[in-house]
Every structure is written in structure tokens, then in C-alpha cells.
Amino acid sequence: MKVVQTSQAPAAIGPYSQGIVVNNVFYSSGQIPLTADGMLVTGDVTEQTHQVFRNLQAVLSEAGASLETVVKATVFIKNMDEFAAVNEVYGEYFSTHKPARSCVEVARLPKDVLIEIEVIALVK
């Protein structure tokens, strides 16, 4: 088991790691729209989703994986009415490679953000 830690994504804000690699599979913690230095992106769901993907790309890279090796994504959104906007941004990052995905509306997310995404990926 390998703990994944990079300064290119926000540090864990609790008793967890950015991700774990076990048997060449990377499991990310949920990424929210914090910058690498811990500043909250307070824009709309489109801006927040782009920041989440920047964070995912950073932890995936540190783990030896990439968006192209993601096999499963779980998306948590605060308001299902914003699904189309989230889906549009999501499609920019997963255009040719389309992993399995779940998307659920939740009552509340850490720091009252609008979106959180976690992934499972194969390590190269």
C-alpha cells in the first residue's frame, strides 16, 4: 500500500490522505474546489468543477495514473439542477475515455462547495 501525497493539490483537511494505491489501483479521496494552497474557489459550479479536475489530475499524476486510466468516477453535487453544467465540464476531461460513473445529489458538502469528485484508476 502506498499513500499518495502531492503539493500540487490541496492537503487533506482531516484524518485522511489524498489517495491510496493498492495492487496497482489508485483510490482518490474526494476532491473539492480548493486550490493547491488551500484557497476555496467560490465561483459557479462550472469554475468549481474545473478546479476539482485540476486537483484530480495532480493526485492521479502523483500516483502514476491519469484521467485516461480512471475506471470509475463518483460525482457528488449539491444541486441536481446543475447536472448539465457539471456534465459539460466533465465531458471536457473525459471526452474519448469514458469511465463508469455515478452521480448523486447530496444535502451538503465540505466547506459548502457545490461539487466533489472521487475516482478509482489503474496505475500505469
Side-chain angles (χ1 to χ4, degrees):
M1 180 170 68
K2 173 188 165 192
V3 174
V4 174
Q5 172 61 40
T6 177
S7 62
Q8 301 303 305
I13 54 175
Y16 61 91
S17 60
Q18 291 171 327
I20 299 285
V21 175
V22 178
N23 296 332
N24 294 325
V25 178
F26 171 66
Y27 301 87
S28 81
S29 289
Q31 292 294 317
I32 62 173
L34 291 176
T35 63
D37 60 2
M39 298 299 296
L40 184 63
V41 172
T42 57
D44 65 11
V45 74
T46 296
E47 293 174 69
Q48 288 194 16
T49 304
H50 278 294
Q51 183 60 49
V52 166
F53 271 99
R54 285 190 286 273
N55 296 342
L56 287 169
Q57 287 172 314
V59 295
L60 283 161
S61 176
E62 183 68 21
S66 68
L67 289 175
E68 290 74 34
T69 66
V70 170
V71 294
K72 175 73 165 78
T74 305
V75 179
F76 305 94
I77 59 176
K78 188 172 182 178
N79 183 350
M80 196 59 82
D81 292 339
E82 294 179 325
F83 176 77
V86 169
N87 207 41
E88 185 173 323
V89 175
Y90 185 95
E92 292 178 31
Y93 294 90
F94 291 119
S95 56
T96 54
H97 171 63
K98 295 173 175 58
R101 177 180 76 181
S102 300
C103 181
V104 295
E105 181 182 79
V106 295
R108 195 166 179 204
L109 289 164
K111 297 190 176 285
D112 289 320
V113 299
L114 303 175
I115 185 160
E116 179 174 3
I117 300 175
E118 63 183 29
V119 296
I120 300 170
L122 298 177
V123 174
K124 299 174 193 168

